[in-house]
């Protein structure tokens, strides 16, 4: 089987001012200077990239953006290009998070274009896919996620430029998680459509208590963590569960 180093990625979403962001980034950096067995990434709000980047320098923790625009530059008020993320010290960009698919109306085609933009800038794209509660209850979870995967991922993926995150919409920020069997089944379905050496993360209410069981599943190569990434101790406990 292809070697896939595990990754724990924190998505801070729209949280934190400079003081909180600095304290959190310092907390993660301090812990990361000790020994650990996985890659680490934090994705702060754009306003905190510089602050967090400075605090994380030398810790080995990578910096990522939570979104990027498909264009390099131009009249796109409020948007950030992949090149701007790169310039700000990022190595990764999350694209297609369900909060953008569902609240900003982003389509698979938009996400595909953003993934290509991330690659153009030399970033690793973390492409999120996941079904809604109605889709799961209707027995369509796998077909929905397969369609998102096919529509959102461009040709040209490598082990370095792409990470796929399976994040059931109904599990994000709710404290609910799928059964271990459902996570394993979905990861296997996605794996059948991507390279054997592409990493796949699970995201959706991962916390220090459930992380070890989820991270032990075959084809789960790490976690994308929202709420629990806002406390350095919790984020670190999840990183330690990576083994
Ligand atoms: C996320 O937003 O990517 C996420 C997984 O959030 P949470 O961990 O809070 O469910």
């Amino acid at each position: 089987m292809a070697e896939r180093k595990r990754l724990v990625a924190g998505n801070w979403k729209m949280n934190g001012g400079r003081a909180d962001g600095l304290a959190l980034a310092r907390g993660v950096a301090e812990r990361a200077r000790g020994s650990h067995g996985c890659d680490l990434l934090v994705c702060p709000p754009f306003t905190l990239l510089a602050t967090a980047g400075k605090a994380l320098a030398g810790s080995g923790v990578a910096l990522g953006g939570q979104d990027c625009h498909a264009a390099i530059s131009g009249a796109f008020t409020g948007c950030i290009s992949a090149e701007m993320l790169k310039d700000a010290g990022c190595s990764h960009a999350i694209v297609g998070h369900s909060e953008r698919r569902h609240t900003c109306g982003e389509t698979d085609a938009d996400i595909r274009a953003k993934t290509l933009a991330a690659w153009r800038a030399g970033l690793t794209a973390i492409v999120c896919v996941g079904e809604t509660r109605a889709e799961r209850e209707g027995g369509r979870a796998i077909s929905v996620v397969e369609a998102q995967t096919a529509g959102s991922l461009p040709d040209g993926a490598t082990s370095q430029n792409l990470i796929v995150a399976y994040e059931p919409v109904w599990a994000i920020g709710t404290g609910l998680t799928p059964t271990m069997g459902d996570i394993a089944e979905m990861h296997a379905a996605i794996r059948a459509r991507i390279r054997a050496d592409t990493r796949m993360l699970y995201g959706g209410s991962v916390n220090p208590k459930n992380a070890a069981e989820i991270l032990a599943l075959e084809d789960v190569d790490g976690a994308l963590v929202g709420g629990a990434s806002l406390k350095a101790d919790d984020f670190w406990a999840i990183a330690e569960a990576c083994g």
Side-chain angles (χ1 to χ4, degrees):
M1 207 222 297
E3 189 62 38
R4 301 186 302 262
K5 188 165 181 200
R6 285 157 175 253
L7 168 69
V8 175
N11 173 13
W12 294 3
K13 309 195 189 190
M14 195 174 75
N15 290 297
R18 270 188 300 165
D20 307 328
L22 183 60
L24 179 54
R26 280 185 177 151
V28 172
E30 260 166 39
R31 289 162 180 78
R33 288 195 177 91
S35 74
H36 56 279
C38 61
D39 287 340
L40 296 165
L41 167 71
V42 297
C43 301
F46 298 136
T47 50
L48 295 180
L49 284 173
T51 302
K54 266 189 212 148
L56 294 170
S59 70
V61 180
L63 190 68
Q66 297 176 15
D67 180 43
C68 67
H69 196 277
I72 296 178
S73 62
F76 301 106
T77 302
C79 300
I80 300 278
S81 73
E83 283 72 9
M84 289 169 169
L85 292 180
K86 181 81 175 175
D87 186 57
C90 293
S91 50
H92 294 67
I94 298 172
V95 296
H97 190 283
S98 70
E99 285 153 14
R100 298 203 60 88
R101 285 182 185 264
H102 294 280
T103 61
C104 306
E106 292 187 4
T107 64
D108 288 338
D110 295 327
I111 292 151
R112 189 177 179 283
K114 289 178 178 214
T115 303
L116 285 169
W119 293 355
R120 181 188 66 219
L123 301 175
T124 299
I126 302 180
V127 179
C128 303
V129 292
E131 81 285 356
T132 63
R133 176 182 286 282
E135 288 161 348
R136 177 155 289 276
E137 286 175 355
R140 291 182 291 124
I142 300 252
S143 61
V144 163
V145 169
E146 281 177 342
Q148 288 176 345
T149 305
S152 307
L153 301 185
D155 290 338
T158 69
S159 61
Q160 298 302 309
N161 69 11
L162 177 70
I163 295 168
V164 178
Y166 167 53
E167 299 207 305
V169 178
W170 53 273
I172 294 178
T174 60
L176 302 172
T177 51
T179 64
M180 295 305 117
D182 286 343
I183 296 174
E185 183 185 35
M186 187 64 82
H187 277 238
I190 299 169
R191 171 66 63 207
R193 299 183 162 263
I194 62 174
R195 291 167 56 120
D197 57 5
T198 294
R199 290 186 284 185
M200 243 192 298
L201 311 180
Y202 167 78
S205 296
V206 177
N207 61 45
K209 287 193 181 135
N210 63 20
E213 190 180 14
I214 293 171
L215 291 165
L217 294 170
E218 197 181 336
D219 265 325
V220 174
D221 305 312
L224 181 52
V225 185
S229 72
L230 296 174
K231 287 189 183 153
D233 280 339
D234 287 357
F235 186 65
W236 192 249
I238 296 167
E240 286 190 316
C242 255

